[in-house]
């Protein structure tokens, strides 16, 4: 089958990316897999590295780059938002607290879906709200499974510690007490994309007086179950 688009440089770049799907690949292996001239492959690979579509491993071999993971996560965002509404409503009703889904966007976490507690004292976070990645249980979840360098960078000036994030990874959920705002508690759990990477956090938030000083003990199970439901929905959509 002819996979040519008629745009030569795009077709050649696609051949390089296709070859890397099998795993870490040397330049010589890329040349053999693509059938392109060595200088052409080298030039294309370095250009793709520049744009983070291709990376290098510790041995200098070419690998698929981190930008592809980010783009794949963005492509799944519409499915995430479409699926989040019923899950957040059920979570709000089960806990009696406002519920949200957060995604990381650069140095911020952004609320992409929410279900507010209808009456009484509540923590209101409208869709589109940008909050810090340095405080709060959702920030902990979105940072806890990052690679080592991004983890260290994210911990600079954060209200939480490496020990806290280690606990998040061990338990599979996070809690916070007054980290983002005095008097507010929250519980969050990770939503994973089809690749297994954490792409979002499901949260509930409200006054400490209601959630208590150990909100995870009361609500972690139901929050984690909601996050797992969204994870499964995204996995099925990708099949």
């Amino acid at each position: 089958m002819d996979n040519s688009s008629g745009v030569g440089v795009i077709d050649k770049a696609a051949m390089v990316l296709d070859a890397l799907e099998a795993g870490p690949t040397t330049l010589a292996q890329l040349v053999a897999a693509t059938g392109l001239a060595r200088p052409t492959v080298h030039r294309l690979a370095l250009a793709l590295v520049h744009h983070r579509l291709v990376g290098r491993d510790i041995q200098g071999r070419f690998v698929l780059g981190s930008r592809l993971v980010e783009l794949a996560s963005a492509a799944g965002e519409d499915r995430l938002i479409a699926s989040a509404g019923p899950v957040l409503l059920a979570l709000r009703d089960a806990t009696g607290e406002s519920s949200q889904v957060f995604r990381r966007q650069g140095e911020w976490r952004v609320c992409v879906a929410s279900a507010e507690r209808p009456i009484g004292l509540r923590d209101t976070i409208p869709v589109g709200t940008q909050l810090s990645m340095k405080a709060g249980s959702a920030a902990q979840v979105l940072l806890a499974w990052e690679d080592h360098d991004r983890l260290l960078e994210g911990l600079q000036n954060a209200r939480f510690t490496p020990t806290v994030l280690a606990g998040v990874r061990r338990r599979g959920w996070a809690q916070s007490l007054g980290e983002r705002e005095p008097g507010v508690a929250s519980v969050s759990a990770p939503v994973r994309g089809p690749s297994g990477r954490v792409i979002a956090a499901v949260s509930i938030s409200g006054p400490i007086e209601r959630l208590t000083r150990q909100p995870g003990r009361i609500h972690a199970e139901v929050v984690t179950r909601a996050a797992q439901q969204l994870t499964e929905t995204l996995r099925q959509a990708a099949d």
Side-chain angles (χ1 to χ4, degrees):
M1 183 178 63
D2 183 9
N3 286 325
S4 173
S5 68
V7 182
V9 67
I10 298 296
D11 291 339
K12 290 172 183 175
M15 290 170 67
V16 171
L17 294 173
D18 287 346
L20 294 176
E21 188 176 0
T25 309
T26 65
L27 179 60
Q29 289 170 331
L30 274 181
V31 170
T34 61
L36 300 173
R38 184 184 182 94
T40 299
V41 173
H42 190 241
R43 185 172 66 252
L44 284 170
L46 292 183
L48 291 167
V49 167
H50 176 77
H51 290 287
R52 296 194 297 121
L53 296 167
V54 169
R56 306 291 283 269
D57 69 7
I58 195 170
Q59 296 175 319
R61 296 174 299 182
F62 294 101
V63 296
L64 291 174
S66 59
R67 182 64 181 142
L68 292 172
V69 177
E70 295 167 1
L71 291 170
S73 294
E77 183 167 339
D78 287 345
R79 289 193 296 272
L80 174 68
I81 294 171
S83 306
V87 173
L88 290 182
L89 286 172
L91 181 59
R92 180 199 66 186
D93 293 345
T95 62
E97 304 297 343
S98 299
S99 60
Q100 309 90 26
V101 171
F102 291 95
R103 289 183 64 96
R104 182 172 185 174
Q105 293 183 7
E107 299 307 308
W108 302 94
R109 54 183 171 102
V110 178
C111 178
V112 298
S114 69
E116 299 289 354
R117 175 185 166 95
I119 58 172
L121 186 62
R122 59 190 182 272
D123 184 32
T124 300
I125 304 175
V127 171
T129 301
Q130 290 185 325
L131 297 176
S132 171
M133 277 293 296
K134 302 296 184 180
S137 63
Q140 294 174 25
V141 164
L142 292 171
L143 186 61
W145 284 274
E146 287 282 18
D147 63 48
H148 182 68
D149 289 342
R150 294 190 74 178
L151 190 66
L152 291 180
E153 181 182 349
L155 281 166
Q156 293 178 11
N157 302 315
R159 297 286 303 275
F160 42 79
T161 65
T163 301
V164 168
L165 295 189
V168 172
R169 289 190 295 273
R170 183 178 67 253
R171 294 190 307 264
W173 53 267
Q175 66 178 5
S176 67
L177 297 169
E179 269 188 17
R180 173 177 60 83
E181 186 176 335
V184 173
S186 66
V187 180
S188 299
V191 178
R192 297 179 181 273
S195 70
R197 180 174 179 264
V198 174
I199 63 167
V202 170
S203 303
I204 61 165
S205 58
I208 292 175
E209 286 79 1
R210 243 187 353 249
L211 271 76
T212 77
R213 300 197 67 82
Q214 292 185 311
R217 176 174 293 181
I218 303 171
H219 296 299
E221 183 177 352
V222 66
V223 173
T224 300
R225 192 158 59 240
Q228 290 171 340
Q229 185 177 347
L230 279 176
T231 295
E232 180 63 18
T233 298
L234 294 177
R235 187 191 66 78
Q236 290 176 354
D239 286 347

